[in-house]
Amino acid sequence: MTSSVPFLEAVALSCERDWRMLFEHLALRLDSGDMLQISGPNGSGKTSLLRLIAGLRQPTAGDILLQGRALAEQRGELARNLLWIGHAAGIKSLLTAEENLAWLCALHRPASRESIWQALEAVGLRGFEDVPCHTLSAGQQRRVALARLYLDDTPPLWVLDEPFTALDKHGVAQLEVHLAAHCERGGVVVLTTHHSLQHKPSTYRELDLGQHVA
């Protein structure tokens, strides 16, 4: 049964960037187990909406609620519930794959070395744990970032901006299955992608921002 209080909710949300209104009066509801793909033409505000959900910027109007309370009132709770991966890999090139994951996890959820190595193995980087990331290919660097999704005790809310960038066919298929499995376990995934998903959970739906242009 769906809870009366959604896990995440946007109420009358509006977003302005560079003195241009991207979208207005946007409403959405996400319950445990949901996957939402944000689509729309370039400049429609897809990344801006993800950053609003992740608490990285403030809405022009309206609000985003996490379990019934405004994000602005519970930054710590959002940090404990959120895993954000932006369009860029977001890793430090001089650090090794293991050091990058240890540093990222230490910000909110410290992970053991064993968990980090298992996550890197899950994304096909066994043997690259101690390799500086500037020597890795773009696809391998993306896998370092995505390895956070394979750590033990990941947060329930995954907000992902173009997560399939630079992945090969095997990596894309593996990630699709993993995202769907997260939803099936009760997690929530919000993502943007130009890739047409082949493996979707039953709770998948799409929000086309092109229909909400201000």
Side-chain angles (χ1 to χ4, degrees):
M1 178 179 296
T2 301
S3 171
S4 59
V5 178
F7 180 81
L8 189 79
E9 184 177 18
V11 180
L13 199 65
S14 299
C15 180
E16 180 182 347
R17 187 183 66 200
D18 299 329
W19 298 281
R20 182 173 70 89
M21 192 68 74
L22 299 177
F23 52 81
E24 290 183 292
H25 312 302
L26 181 68
L28 63 88
R29 171 184 175 131
L30 291 168
D31 294 299
S32 295
D34 283 351
M35 176 183 287
L36 179 68
Q37 179 180 346
I38 309 296
S39 63
N42 291 339
S44 60
K46 297 185 294 295
T47 294
S48 294
L49 178 55
L50 290 190
R51 293 180 67 84
L52 288 172
I53 292 173
L56 299 175
R57 65 177 298 169
Q58 296 299 309
T60 304
D63 215 340
I64 297 179
L65 309 178
L66 177 66
Q67 298 176 331
R69 293 177 54 208
L71 289 188
E73 300 174 1
Q74 46 176 341
R75 292 296 179 182
E77 188 68 18
L78 174 63
R80 287 187 290 273
N81 279 276
L82 173 70
L83 196 162
W84 156 264
I85 298 179
H87 188 271
I91 60 176
K92 295 184 179 293
S93 62
L94 294 180
L95 298 182
T96 66
E98 179 186 348
E99 289 170 340
N100 265 288
L101 285 184
W103 174 75
L104 288 166
C105 292
L107 296 175
H108 302 297
R109 292 185 178 219
S112 68
R113 190 182 195 195
E114 180 182 3
S115 177
I116 289 173
W117 278 45
Q118 288 175 347
L120 290 171
E121 181 175 3
V123 296
L125 290 177
R126 182 176 183 180
F128 291 88
E129 298 89 351
D130 298 324
V131 176
C133 285
H134 69 84
T135 68
L136 301 178
S137 69
Q140 289 172 322
Q141 290 184 27
R142 170 59 61 171
R143 287 172 184 266
V144 172
L146 293 173
R148 296 169 62 198
L149 303 175
Y150 294 81
L151 291 165
D152 296 335
D153 190 31
T154 58
L157 175 60
W158 294 357
V159 181
L160 313 173
D161 194 3
E162 296 291 344
F164 300 99
T165 299
L167 295 183
D168 56 21
K169 284 186 176 181
H170 173 74
V172 167
Q174 178 190 27
L175 180 56
E176 282 195 15
V177 170
H178 190 63
L179 297 182
H182 180 64
C183 293
E184 290 161 4
R185 292 190 297 267
V188 176
V189 174
V190 185
L191 76 160
T192 64
T193 179
H194 293 289
H195 165 71
S196 180
L197 297 175
Q198 302 301 308
H199 192 94
K200 307 171 185 176
S202 60
T203 54
Y204 168 89
R205 67 183 189 276
E206 184 176 346
L207 172 65
D208 183 359
L209 284 183
Q211 299 179 4
H212 296 269
V213 175

